[in-house]
Amino acid sequence: MCCLSPSPSASATSSRRGQIVASEWPPGSSSGSNPRSDGPPPSPDPPPRAVVHTDDEEFGGRPPPKRARPESGGCGDGVCTADRPPADGVDRISDLPDAVLLSILSFLPLRDAGRTAVLSPRWRGLFNQSLLDFNACQPFPPEEGRGCDWFIRAITAILAARRRRVRIRSFRFVMYGRGFDGRLGVVDGWFRALARHGIRELDVDMFYAAPMPTLPGSLLKLASLETLKLFYCRFPNAGSAPAPRLPALKTLDLSNVNVSQESLQAILSHCTSLECMKLKNITGVDKICLRSKSLARLYGDFGNLKEIVVEDAPNLEELVGIGLPSGEAKVKIVFAPKMQVLGYLGISVRPLVLHDTVFDGGIMQLRTLMHSVKTLAIQVPFSEKGYTVFVAQLLKCFPCLETLQVEPNKRSISRRVNVEEWDTANSIQCIEHSINKVVFECFGGEDCQWGFLTFLLGMARALKLVELYCWTGKDWASDQIELLDPKNRASLDAEIQFFRICKPISDLYLCHCCTRRCQKENRLTLL
């Protein structure tokens, strides 16, 4: 892995993986001679062997003098000479296969790995192959004259020194402030060089750049690119000809990015391998019309959108927008036969169109049900009149639901609300026959929340697990669990667990958007 980063001191950074602290490239290029030509001669006994120092001198520097050899029977480094195996002069390390040596090099700091290039042509080739991951971060604050100019020159020089046949697997660069003002042509050159090296993963972070820079159009011509992550920048215009040429792109992650409606639609239409798309704090888009044969997962906040239309998505499995209940977006799902995860739905998400069933918050005629959905996330509007009818009618649209994730609306947390009675005579198929897990976020023990939980426990026959995530401590959870009467549960095997949220709810964004990740990473078990 290749990395550019500030170096407070040589000793403090010698063990950091993949750092460059020398200004020249490639190793030893400044002197034009063997970097070890001025070192002490090898000892005649045992036979000379190639030596790789792992101290803190920079590329091309003078190595320190060798340690004095301990006398016979001595224990200079903790191992007595008498206990050492006899030296036979065989270089067993070089006898290892390339795959093993590359794995070893990947764990070394870049400076130490680079020194192996002087051993032999084979080692030089191995070092080139080990530079698969390029991680460049502008020093902040600049140290030792390593500001924007040095940062840009270093990246340009390293990319220019790479042979065309040598691949670069991933490339990430972070730039602060106004570093790229008038220099986006340099970034264009980087993208073109990365295209020649078969780049597969690209991460661009224009942190606090002012004004927000527009990335060059060469970004859309990386034919080998599989993963693209962008932060705080403007997406190049992909709506006009020529169309984006990203045939291998599988994952697109945009955060705090300005992108036009036309560009987003062009990506969805022309990236035929796209499987996962994450959109967070996106500006410039007020509607997403999804027509993609390959997309399987769409995540985002979507609080500023006016409409989401899933028109033709035969392989879409997950659609999660954590900001949907706080906005006024219309959601229309026309064709998504494989959808298994859907959320967050709330009373403000209206109308909700599922095929030819229009759900507008009240009692309706169910024409088409979504049998494929197994996980549903909803925001229960406890502060709104008629919330029991809203939830009951909504759940009827998903008869095969297995996991129900619930969060209360914010108004019901901050103020007292009227508690409504749940209609236990109203049959809801998924609650009675298929729901086996309930996850309740931000559980505060209010009467309206207990009423909903008691309703679920009294109706759900297949229920196995209830997870309640709260802000309070263990003593409070112990008191709450005593309020639940086991005799009133439809499933005697149902287990109730309390967890304490140990991070702000805004930091749980990835947990909401990545359903396969363990959601307990940021939480502590109370009981």
Side-chain angles (χ1 to χ4, degrees):
M1 179 176 68
C2 181
C3 177
L4 293 173
S5 58
S7 177
S9 66
S11 60
T13 60
S14 60
S15 62
R16 294 182 187 175
R17 182 181 175 189
Q19 279 193 326
I20 293 180
V21 298
S23 58
E24 71 240 24
W25 186 268
S29 60
S30 61
S31 62
S33 60
N34 191 321
R36 302 207 175 275
S37 60
D38 55 352
S43 174
D45 182 27
R49 291 183 294 173
V51 179
V52 179
H53 289 285
T54 57
D55 51 86
D56 290 332
E57 84 265 299
E58 296 186 354
F59 287 139
R62 179 186 296 274
K66 294 183 178 179
R67 296 191 183 102
R69 174 174 295 187
E71 298 295 333
S72 176
C75 302
D77 56 358
V79 181
C80 296
T81 305
D83 297 333
R84 299 179 187 274
D88 55 9
V90 179
D91 185 4
R92 292 185 172 84
I93 292 181
S94 295
D95 290 339
L96 294 173
D98 288 357
V100 175
L101 295 178
L102 284 172
S103 177
I104 295 174
L105 287 177
S106 69
F107 287 98
L108 292 177
L110 184 65
R111 292 175 297 166
D112 297 335
R115 295 186 183 104
T116 65
V118 303
L119 299 179
S120 68
R122 181 198 177 201
W123 279 95
R124 188 176 302 112
L126 288 173
F127 176 63
N128 281 335
Q129 294 180 54
S130 69
L131 288 178
L132 293 176
D133 302 305
F134 195 117
N135 189 0
C137 179
Q138 177 190 351
F140 183 81
E143 294 183 2
E144 302 175 4
R146 296 176 180 178
C148 298
D149 294 337
W150 174 87
F151 176 73
I152 293 175
R153 287 197 307 269
I155 296 178
T156 303
I158 292 175
L159 290 177
R162 299 283 285 171
R163 298 179 181 178
R164 187 184 183 103
R165 62 181 178 84
V166 179
R167 298 293 182 182
I168 297 178
R169 178 174 56 194
S170 67
F171 181 82
R172 176 178 183 264
F173 73 91
V174 180
M175 195 72 173
Y176 302 93
R178 306 178 67 91
F180 279 116
D181 279 2
R183 299 177 179 177
L184 287 176
V186 177
V187 181
D188 178 70
W190 295 352
F191 289 164
R192 295 179 186 275
L194 293 173
R196 294 192 294 269
H197 289 291
I199 186 70
R200 293 169 56 186
E201 301 176 13
L202 179 61
D203 189 345
V204 179
D205 188 341
M206 298 290 192
F207 195 61
Y208 289 141
M212 184 181 287
T214 301
L215 297 180
S218 52
L219 174 67
L220 305 177
K221 301 177 183 179
L222 300 174
S224 58
L225 191 64
E226 297 179 2
T227 300
L228 176 60
K229 297 181 180 180
L230 302 179
F231 177 79
Y232 205 84
C233 58
R234 295 180 184 273
F235 199 83
N237 186 11
S240 57
R245 294 197 296 270
L246 299 169
L249 186 65
K250 295 181 179 179
T251 302
L252 178 63
D253 190 340
L254 305 181
S255 180
N256 295 84
V257 172
N258 181 277
V259 56
S260 67
Q261 190 83 42
E262 296 77 12
S263 296
L264 186 61
Q265 293 302 137
I267 291 293
L268 290 171
S269 300
H270 293 91
C271 296
T272 56
S273 300
L274 188 62
E275 298 177 356
C276 178
M277 185 163 65
K278 298 181 181 181
L279 306 174
K280 182 179 180 181
N281 295 336
I282 300 300
T283 58
V285 175
D286 57 8
K287 177 181 178 180
I288 295 179
C289 185
L290 185 56
R291 290 187 294 268
S292 173
K293 302 293 185 182
S294 60
L295 193 67
R297 294 174 294 278
L298 175 59
Y299 306 131
D301 41 25
F302 305 148
N304 297 325
L305 293 181
K306 295 181 179 179
E307 188 174 9
I308 297 179
V309 180
V310 182
E311 188 170 306
D312 184 14
N315 290 302
L316 185 65
E317 298 177 359
E318 302 177 10
L319 173 59
V320 179
I322 63 171
L324 283 175
S326 61
E328 297 180 354
K330 301 176 183 178
V331 177
K332 183 177 182 180
I333 301 176
V334 179
F335 184 70
K338 295 183 179 180
M339 183 174 291
Q340 299 181 21
V341 179
L342 178 61
Y344 278 74
L345 301 182
I347 198 168
S348 64
V349 183
R350 59 173 64 179
L352 171 64
V353 181
L354 307 175
H355 305 304
D356 57 352
T357 296
V358 179
F359 181 75
D360 199 19
I363 299 177
M364 60 181 179
Q365 295 292 327
L366 297 177
R367 300 181 179 88
T368 304
L369 306 180
M370 295 196 69
H371 294 82
S372 63
V373 175
K374 305 298 181 183
T375 300
L376 178 68
I378 64 173
Q379 185 185 88
V380 180
F382 291 109
S383 62
E384 303 288 338
K385 184 178 180 180
Y387 67 85
T388 57
V389 176
F390 164 78
V391 173
Q393 293 297 312
L394 180 62
L395 293 179
K396 289 181 179 180
C397 300
F398 309 96
C400 300
L401 200 62
E402 296 178 358
T403 299
L404 177 63
Q405 185 153 336
V406 179
E407 68 173 17
N409 63 331
K410 294 181 180 179
R411 293 184 63 188
S412 66
I413 298 176
S414 59
R415 65 182 65 180
R416 294 181 60 88
V417 299
N418 294 324
V419 180
E420 298 182 2
E421 293 293 332
W422 291 85
D423 185 5
T424 56
N426 187 10
S427 177
I428 303 175
Q429 182 175 339
C430 65
I431 294 181
E432 296 179 359
H433 300 289
S434 61
I435 288 182
N436 55 56
K437 181 179 179 180
V438 174
V439 179
F440 208 126
E441 296 279 357
C442 300
F443 184 80
E446 287 83 0
D447 291 342
C448 57
Q449 297 178 7
W450 274 118
F452 183 37
L453 183 59
T454 303
F455 168 71
L456 292 174
L457 291 172
M459 299 282 290
R461 303 170 188 170
L463 189 62
K464 299 297 182 183
L465 178 62
V466 178
E467 295 181 357
L468 305 177
Y469 294 96
C470 51
W471 299 99
T472 48
K474 185 175 181 178
D475 294 339
W476 179 87
S478 300
D479 295 338
Q480 297 297 308
I481 201 71
E482 295 178 357
L483 299 177
L484 295 173
D485 187 356
K487 298 179 181 179
N488 296 329
R489 302 181 190 177
S491 173
L492 299 179
D493 298 330
E495 180 182 0
I496 300 177
Q497 298 179 353
F498 282 80
F499 297 91
R500 181 170 62 87
I501 302 175
C502 57
K503 282 191 177 183
I505 197 68
S506 59
D507 288 350
L508 301 180
Y509 176 81
L510 286 179
C511 291
H512 287 304
C513 290
C514 301
T515 56
R516 290 187 176 89
R517 290 186 55 184
C518 177
Q519 294 198 3
K520 300 179 182 62
E521 289 179 356
N522 298 330
R523 302 175 171 99
L524 299 176
T525 304
L526 295 180
L527 294 176

mmCIF file of all heavy atoms in Angstrom, residues 468-503:
data_model
loop_
_atom_site.group_PDB
_atom_site.id
_atom_site.type_symbol
_atom_site.label_atom_id
_atom_site.label_comp_id
_atom_site.label_asym_id
_atom_site.label_seq_id
_atom_site.Cartn_x
_atom_site.Cartn_y
_atom_site.Cartn_z
ATOM 1 N N LEU A 468 -34.908 -4.198 22.328
ATOM 2 C CA LEU A 468 -35.286 -2.839 22.692
ATOM 3 C C LEU A 468 -34.017 -2.026 22.933
ATOM 4 O O LEU A 468 -33.214 -2.360 23.817
ATOM 5 C CB LEU A 468 -36.155 -2.850 23.954
ATOM 6 C CG LEU A 468 -37.420 -3.726 23.897
ATOM 7 C CD1 LEU A 468 -38.138 -3.701 25.240
ATOM 8 C CD2 LEU A 468 -38.347 -3.273 22.789
ATOM 9 N N TYR A 469 -33.834 -0.976 22.135
ATOM 10 C CA TYR A 469 -32.644 -0.127 22.238
ATOM 11 C C TYR A 469 -33.028 1.179 22.921
ATOM 12 O O TYR A 469 -33.913 1.890 22.454
ATOM 13 C CB TYR A 469 -32.062 0.135 20.850
ATOM 14 C CG TYR A 469 -31.527 -1.124 20.213
ATOM 15 C CD1 TYR A 469 -32.300 -1.861 19.328
ATOM 16 C CD2 TYR A 469 -30.255 -1.574 20.526
ATOM 17 C CE1 TYR A 469 -31.816 -3.026 18.765
ATOM 18 C CE2 TYR A 469 -29.761 -2.738 19.961
ATOM 19 C CZ TYR A 469 -30.542 -3.460 19.079
ATOM 20 O OH TYR A 469 -30.059 -4.622 18.527
ATOM 21 N N CYS A 470 -32.380 1.466 24.038
ATOM 22 C CA CYS A 470 -32.759 2.602 24.859
ATOM 23 C C CYS A 470 -31.513 3.382 25.286
ATOM 24 O O CYS A 470 -30.383 2.947 25.084
ATOM 25 C CB CYS A 470 -33.549 2.138 26.084
ATOM 26 S SG CYS A 470 -32.716 0.823 27.007
ATOM 27 N N TRP A 471 -31.756 4.549 25.902
ATOM 28 C CA TRP A 471 -30.670 5.429 26.329
ATOM 29 C C TRP A 471 -30.326 5.248 27.803
ATOM 30 O O TRP A 471 -29.309 5.748 28.252
ATOM 31 C CB TRP A 471 -31.052 6.895 26.095
ATOM 32 C CG TRP A 471 -31.308 7.225 24.672
ATOM 33 C CD1 TRP A 471 -32.515 7.320 24.056
ATOM 34 C CD2 TRP A 471 -30.329 7.480 23.661
ATOM 35 N NE1 TRP A 471 -32.347 7.633 22.727
ATOM 36 C CE2 TRP A 471 -31.016 7.743 22.453
ATOM 37 C CE3 TRP A 471 -28.933 7.526 23.647
ATOM 38 C CZ2 TRP A 471 -30.369 8.031 21.264
ATOM 39 C CZ3 TRP A 471 -28.277 7.820 22.469
ATOM 40 C CH2 TRP A 471 -28.994 8.069 21.294
ATOM 41 N N THR A 472 -31.167 4.568 28.543
ATOM 42 C CA THR A 472 -30.992 4.491 29.996
ATOM 43 C C THR A 472 -30.173 3.273 30.387
ATOM 44 O O THR A 472 -29.692 2.524 29.544
ATOM 45 C CB THR A 472 -32.364 4.447 30.682
ATOM 46 O OG1 THR A 472 -33.175 3.471 30.034
ATOM 47 C CG2 THR A 472 -33.046 5.799 30.572
ATOM 48 N N GLY A 473 -30.044 3.055 31.717
ATOM 49 C CA GLY A 473 -29.137 2.045 32.217
ATOM 50 C C GLY A 473 -29.808 0.729 32.564
ATOM 51 O O GLY A 473 -30.989 0.483 32.314
ATOM 52 N N LYS A 474 -29.012 -0.126 33.203
ATOM 53 C CA LYS A 474 -29.434 -1.501 33.469
ATOM 54 C C LYS A 474 -30.558 -1.577 34.497
ATOM 55 O O LYS A 474 -31.470 -2.386 34.367
ATOM 56 C CB LYS A 474 -28.222 -2.301 33.950
ATOM 57 C CG LYS A 474 -28.491 -3.773 34.149
ATOM 58 C CD LYS A 474 -27.212 -4.514 34.501
ATOM 59 C CE LYS A 474 -27.475 -6.006 34.668
ATOM 60 N NZ LYS A 474 -26.223 -6.736 34.965
ATOM 61 N N ASP A 475 -30.512 -0.738 35.517
ATOM 62 C CA ASP A 475 -31.550 -0.789 36.544
ATOM 63 C C ASP A 475 -32.916 -0.457 35.954
ATOM 64 O O ASP A 475 -33.915 -1.094 36.292
ATOM 65 C CB ASP A 475 -31.203 0.190 37.678
ATOM 66 C CG ASP A 475 -29.957 -0.234 38.431
ATOM 67 O OD1 ASP A 475 -29.617 -1.430 38.358
ATOM 68 O OD2 ASP A 475 -29.317 0.630 39.059
ATOM 69 N N TRP A 476 -32.940 0.542 35.077
ATOM 70 C CA TRP A 476 -34.208 0.899 34.444
ATOM 71 C C TRP A 476 -34.732 -0.261 33.604
ATOM 72 O O TRP A 476 -35.924 -0.565 33.607
ATOM 73 C CB TRP A 476 -34.004 2.131 33.565
ATOM 74 C CG TRP A 476 -35.243 2.582 32.838
ATOM 75 C CD1 TRP A 476 -36.212 3.415 33.293
ATOM 76 C CD2 TRP A 476 -35.636 2.211 31.507
ATOM 77 N NE1 TRP A 476 -37.187 3.589 32.337
ATOM 78 C CE2 TRP A 476 -36.867 2.858 31.234
ATOM 79 C CE3 TRP A 476 -35.082 1.398 30.530
ATOM 80 C CZ2 TRP A 476 -37.522 2.722 30.017
ATOM 81 C CZ3 TRP A 476 -35.737 1.247 29.316
ATOM 82 C CH2 TRP A 476 -36.942 1.912 29.067
ATOM 83 N N ALA A 477 -33.848 -0.920 32.859
ATOM 84 C CA ALA A 477 -34.268 -2.037 32.023
ATOM 85 C C ALA A 477 -34.813 -3.184 32.865
ATOM 86 O O ALA A 477 -35.782 -3.846 32.484
ATOM 87 C CB ALA A 477 -33.085 -2.514 31.162
ATOM 88 N N SER A 478 -34.204 -3.420 34.027
ATOM 89 C CA SER A 478 -34.686 -4.492 34.901
ATOM 90 C C SER A 478 -36.097 -4.195 35.388
ATOM 91 O O SER A 478 -36.946 -5.094 35.479
ATOM 92 C CB SER A 478 -33.736 -4.652 36.090
ATOM 93 O OG SER A 478 -32.440 -4.986 35.650
ATOM 94 N N ASP A 479 -36.369 -2.920 35.691
ATOM 95 C CA ASP A 479 -37.718 -2.548 36.132
ATOM 96 C C ASP A 479 -38.725 -2.703 34.996
ATOM 97 O O ASP A 479 -39.870 -3.111 35.222
ATOM 98 C CB ASP A 479 -37.719 -1.102 36.640
ATOM 99 C CG ASP A 479 -36.871 -0.937 37.883
ATOM 100 O OD1 ASP A 479 -36.635 -1.951 38.579
ATOM 101 O OD2 ASP A 479 -36.417 0.201 38.145
ATOM 102 N N GLN A 480 -38.313 -2.379 33.789
ATOM 103 C CA GLN A 480 -39.231 -2.444 32.663
ATOM 104 C C GLN A 480 -39.619 -3.889 32.328
ATOM 105 O O GLN A 480 -40.754 -4.172 31.975
ATOM 106 C CB GLN A 480 -38.605 -1.788 31.429
ATOM 107 C CG GLN A 480 -38.310 -0.308 31.583
ATOM 108 C CD GLN A 480 -39.572 0.499 31.791
ATOM 109 O OE1 GLN A 480 -40.523 0.395 31.031
ATOM 110 N NE2 GLN A 480 -39.585 1.313 32.845
ATOM 111 N N ILE A 481 -38.663 -4.802 32.422
ATOM 112 C CA ILE A 481 -38.934 -6.185 32.040
ATOM 113 C C ILE A 481 -39.969 -6.818 32.970
ATOM 114 O O ILE A 481 -40.706 -7.734 32.576
ATOM 115 C CB ILE A 481 -37.622 -7.005 32.047
ATOM 116 C CG1 ILE A 481 -37.765 -8.256 31.177
ATOM 117 C CG2 ILE A 481 -37.206 -7.385 33.434
ATOM 118 C CD1 ILE A 481 -37.824 -7.989 29.713
ATOM 119 N N GLU A 482 -40.052 -6.311 34.206
ATOM 120 C CA GLU A 482 -41.029 -6.857 35.147
ATOM 121 C C GLU A 482 -42.450 -6.444 34.802
ATOM 122 O O GLU A 482 -43.413 -7.056 35.293
ATOM 123 C CB GLU A 482 -40.679 -6.401 36.566
ATOM 124 C CG GLU A 482 -39.338 -6.949 37.071
ATOM 125 C CD GLU A 482 -39.008 -6.444 38.460
ATOM 126 O OE1 GLU A 482 -39.809 -5.635 38.983
ATOM 127 O OE2 GLU A 482 -37.975 -6.861 39.008
ATOM 128 N N LEU A 483 -42.597 -5.401 33.972
ATOM 129 C CA LEU A 483 -43.932 -4.950 33.595
ATOM 130 C C LEU A 483 -44.599 -5.851 32.569
ATOM 131 O O LEU A 483 -45.803 -5.736 32.335
ATOM 132 C CB LEU A 483 -43.852 -3.513 33.050
ATOM 133 C CG LEU A 483 -43.318 -2.453 34.020
ATOM 134 C CD1 LEU A 483 -43.236 -1.097 33.309
ATOM 135 C CD2 LEU A 483 -44.197 -2.357 35.259
ATOM 136 N N LEU A 484 -43.810 -6.697 31.920
ATOM 137 C CA LEU A 484 -44.359 -7.574 30.887
ATOM 138 C C LEU A 484 -44.802 -8.891 31.505
ATOM 139 O O LEU A 484 -43.993 -9.629 32.077
ATOM 140 C CB LEU A 484 -43.302 -7.834 29.802
ATOM 141 C CG LEU A 484 -42.877 -6.592 29.005
ATOM 142 C CD1 LEU A 484 -41.718 -6.932 28.088
ATOM 143 C CD2 LEU A 484 -44.045 -6.046 28.197
ATOM 144 N N ASP A 485 -46.069 -9.187 31.401
ATOM 145 C CA ASP A 485 -46.631 -10.407 31.972
ATOM 146 C C ASP A 485 -46.486 -11.549 30.966
ATOM 147 O O ASP A 485 -47.070 -11.499 29.873
ATOM 148 C CB ASP A 485 -48.107 -10.200 32.315
ATOM 149 C CG ASP A 485 -48.684 -11.379 33.071
ATOM 150 O OD1 ASP A 485 -47.957 -12.376 33.267
ATOM 151 O OD2 ASP A 485 -49.866 -11.311 33.462
ATOM 152 N N PRO A 486 -45.700 -12.573 31.284
ATOM 153 C CA PRO A 486 -45.518 -13.688 30.345
ATOM 154 C C PRO A 486 -46.819 -14.386 29.980
ATOM 155 O O PRO A 486 -46.931 -14.996 28.917
ATOM 156 C CB PRO A 486 -44.572 -14.631 31.103
ATOM 157 C CG PRO A 486 -43.898 -13.780 32.131
ATOM 158 C CD PRO A 486 -44.911 -12.739 32.503
ATOM 159 N N LYS A 487 -47.818 -14.304 30.837
ATOM 160 C CA LYS A 487 -49.071 -14.997 30.564
ATOM 161 C C LYS A 487 -49.825 -14.374 29.390
ATOM 162 O O LYS A 487 -50.677 -15.039 28.800
ATOM 163 C CB LYS A 487 -49.957 -14.968 31.818
ATOM 164 C CG LYS A 487 -49.340 -15.681 33.013
ATOM 165 C CD LYS A 487 -50.259 -15.597 34.216
ATOM 166 C CE LYS A 487 -49.646 -16.292 35.435
ATOM 167 N NZ LYS A 487 -50.530 -16.205 36.623
ATOM 168 N N ASN A 488 -49.544 -13.132 29.074
ATOM 169 C CA ASN A 488 -50.262 -12.449 27.994
ATOM 170 C C ASN A 488 -49.535 -12.497 26.653
ATOM 171 O O ASN A 488 -49.853 -11.734 25.746
ATOM 172 C CB ASN A 488 -50.505 -10.982 28.387
ATOM 173 C CG ASN A 488 -51.411 -10.862 29.591
ATOM 174 O OD1 ASN A 488 -52.280 -11.705 29.805
ATOM 175 N ND2 ASN A 488 -51.204 -9.813 30.385
ATOM 176 N N ARG A 489 -48.556 -13.363 26.533
ATOM 177 C CA ARG A 489 -47.800 -13.468 25.289
ATOM 178 C C ARG A 489 -48.339 -14.616 24.437
ATOM 179 O O ARG A 489 -48.599 -15.713 24.941
ATOM 180 C CB ARG A 489 -46.318 -13.710 25.566
ATOM 181 C CG ARG A 489 -45.670 -12.627 26.418
ATOM 182 C CD ARG A 489 -44.198 -12.929 26.626
ATOM 183 N NE ARG A 489 -43.598 -12.051 27.629
ATOM 184 C CZ ARG A 489 -42.336 -12.150 28.043
ATOM 185 N NH1 ARG A 489 -41.561 -13.099 27.536
ATOM 186 N NH2 ARG A 489 -41.869 -11.313 28.963
ATOM 187 N N ALA A 490 -48.462 -14.328 23.136
ATOM 188 C CA ALA A 490 -48.908 -15.378 22.215
ATOM 189 C C ALA A 490 -47.814 -16.408 21.977
ATOM 190 O O ALA A 490 -48.096 -17.570 21.671
ATOM 191 C CB ALA A 490 -49.340 -14.751 20.885
ATOM 192 N N SER A 491 -46.566 -16.005 22.106
ATOM 193 C CA SER A 491 -45.435 -16.916 21.948
ATOM 194 C C SER A 491 -44.686 -16.992 23.270
ATOM 195 O O SER A 491 -44.072 -16.016 23.712
ATOM 196 C CB SER A 491 -44.493 -16.424 20.846
ATOM 197 O OG SER A 491 -43.323 -17.218 20.803
ATOM 198 N N LEU A 492 -44.736 -18.146 23.907
ATOM 199 C CA LEU A 492 -44.063 -18.315 25.190
ATOM 200 C C LEU A 492 -42.548 -18.374 25.038
ATOM 201 O O LEU A 492 -41.817 -18.230 26.022
ATOM 202 C CB LEU A 492 -44.575 -19.596 25.877
ATOM 203 C CG LEU A 492 -46.078 -19.614 26.199
ATOM 204 C CD1 LEU A 492 -46.458 -20.934 26.854
ATOM 205 C CD2 LEU A 492 -46.442 -18.438 27.106
ATOM 206 N N ASP A 493 -42.063 -18.610 23.815
ATOM 207 C CA ASP A 493 -40.621 -18.710 23.573
ATOM 208 C C ASP A 493 -39.978 -17.353 23.265
ATOM 209 O O ASP A 493 -38.765 -17.280 23.068
ATOM 210 C CB ASP A 493 -40.343 -19.656 22.401
ATOM 211 C CG ASP A 493 -40.821 -21.076 22.685
ATOM 212 O OD1 ASP A 493 -40.823 -21.452 23.872
ATOM 213 O OD2 ASP A 493 -41.190 -21.778 21.728
ATOM 214 N N ALA A 494 -40.765 -16.302 23.207
ATOM 215 C CA ALA A 494 -40.226 -14.991 22.836
ATOM 216 C C ALA A 494 -39.255 -14.487 23.901
ATOM 217 O O ALA A 494 -39.568 -14.472 25.088
ATOM 218 C CB ALA A 494 -41.356 -13.992 22.636
ATOM 219 N N GLU A 495 -38.082 -14.074 23.444
ATOM 220 C CA GLU A 495 -37.054 -13.543 24.335
ATOM 221 C C GLU A 495 -36.969 -12.031 24.169
ATOM 222 O O GLU A 495 -36.965 -11.517 23.043
ATOM 223 C CB GLU A 495 -35.701 -14.175 24.001
ATOM 224 C CG GLU A 495 -34.558 -13.692 24.875
ATOM 225 C CD GLU A 495 -33.224 -14.312 24.484
ATOM 226 O OE1 GLU A 495 -33.203 -15.112 23.522
ATOM 227 O OE2 GLU A 495 -32.213 -13.990 25.136
ATOM 228 N N ILE A 496 -36.891 -11.306 25.282
ATOM 229 C CA ILE A 496 -36.831 -9.844 25.260
ATOM 230 C C ILE A 496 -35.455 -9.407 25.747
ATOM 231 O O ILE A 496 -35.017 -9.797 26.834
ATOM 232 C CB ILE A 496 -37.928 -9.221 26.132
ATOM 233 C CG1 ILE A 496 -39.305 -9.663 25.622
ATOM 234 C CG2 ILE A 496 -37.831 -7.697 26.114
ATOM 235 C CD1 ILE A 496 -40.453 -9.161 26.458
ATOM 236 N N GLN A 497 -34.772 -8.605 24.936
ATOM 237 C CA GLN A 497 -33.433 -8.130 25.266
ATOM 238 C C GLN A 497 -33.404 -6.605 25.225
ATOM 239 O O GLN A 497 -33.964 -5.997 24.316
ATOM 240 C CB GLN A 497 -32.396 -8.704 24.295
ATOM 241 C CG GLN A 497 -32.275 -10.219 24.324
ATOM 242 C CD GLN A 497 -31.253 -10.726 23.329
ATOM 243 O OE1 GLN A 497 -30.710 -9.973 22.520
ATOM 244 N NE2 GLN A 497 -30.976 -12.026 23.381
ATOM 245 N N PHE A 498 -32.733 -6.018 26.209
ATOM 246 C CA PHE A 498 -32.529 -4.572 26.250
ATOM 247 C C PHE A 498 -31.087 -4.263 25.885
ATOM 248 O O PHE A 498 -30.161 -4.943 26.311
ATOM 249 C CB PHE A 498 -32.827 -4.015 27.652
ATOM 250 C CG PHE A 498 -34.291 -3.869 27.950
ATOM 251 C CD1 PHE A 498 -35.049 -4.964 28.331
ATOM 252 C CD2 PHE A 498 -34.912 -2.647 27.852
ATOM 253 C CE1 PHE A 498 -36.394 -4.830 28.617
ATOM 254 C CE2 PHE A 498 -36.253 -2.485 28.132
ATOM 255 C CZ PHE A 498 -37.004 -3.593 28.514
ATOM 256 N N PHE A 499 -30.902 -3.198 25.096
ATOM 257 C CA PHE A 499 -29.570 -2.730 24.741
ATOM 258 C C PHE A 499 -29.509 -1.229 24.985
ATOM 259 O O PHE A 499 -30.491 -0.513 24.768
ATOM 260 C CB PHE A 499 -29.251 -3.010 23.268
ATOM 261 C CG PHE A 499 -29.226 -4.474 22.916
ATOM 262 C CD1 PHE A 499 -30.378 -5.108 22.472
ATOM 263 C CD2 PHE A 499 -28.072 -5.214 23.028
ATOM 264 C CE1 PHE A 499 -30.375 -6.446 22.148
ATOM 265 C CE2 PHE A 499 -28.054 -6.559 22.703
ATOM 266 C CZ PHE A 499 -29.208 -7.180 22.260
ATOM 267 N N ARG A 500 -28.357 -0.778 25.435
ATOM 268 C CA ARG A 500 -28.156 0.655 25.625
ATOM 269 C C ARG A 500 -27.391 1.227 24.441
ATOM 270 O O ARG A 500 -26.339 0.735 24.070
ATOM 271 C CB ARG A 500 -27.378 0.939 26.911
ATOM 272 C CG ARG A 500 -27.159 2.431 27.152
ATOM 273 C CD ARG A 500 -26.605 2.672 28.551
ATOM 274 N NE ARG A 500 -25.307 2.049 28.738
ATOM 275 C CZ ARG A 500 -24.138 2.630 28.426
ATOM 276 N NH1 ARG A 500 -24.122 3.842 27.894
ATOM 277 N NH2 ARG A 500 -23.001 2.012 28.653
ATOM 278 N N ILE A 501 -27.935 2.262 23.836
ATOM 279 C CA ILE A 501 -27.254 2.925 22.721
ATOM 280 C C ILE A 501 -26.132 3.766 23.297
ATOM 281 O O ILE A 501 -26.369 4.662 24.110
ATOM 282 C CB ILE A 501 -28.234 3.819 21.928
ATOM 283 C CG1 ILE A 501 -29.407 2.977 21.416
ATOM 284 C CG2 ILE A 501 -27.524 4.490 20.760
ATOM 285 C CD1 ILE A 501 -30.481 3.798 20.732
ATOM 286 N N CYS A 502 -24.903 3.510 22.865
ATOM 287 C CA CYS A 502 -23.758 4.222 23.427
ATOM 288 C C CYS A 502 -23.180 5.232 22.454
ATOM 289 O O CYS A 502 -22.110 5.773 22.700
ATOM 290 C CB CYS A 502 -22.674 3.232 23.852
ATOM 291 S SG CYS A 502 -22.087 2.134 22.541
ATOM 292 N N LYS A 503 -23.853 5.489 21.353
ATOM 293 C CA LYS A 503 -23.437 6.522 20.411
ATOM 294 C C LYS A 503 -24.652 7.320 19.989
ATOM 295 O O LYS A 503 -25.773 6.810 20.013
ATOM 296 C CB LYS A 503 -22.769 5.916 19.175
ATOM 297 C CG LYS A 503 -21.328 5.475 19.421
ATOM 298 C CD LYS A 503 -20.649 5.135 18.100
ATOM 299 C CE LYS A 503 -19.191 4.776 18.318
ATOM 300 N NZ LYS A 503 -18.499 4.525 17.046
#
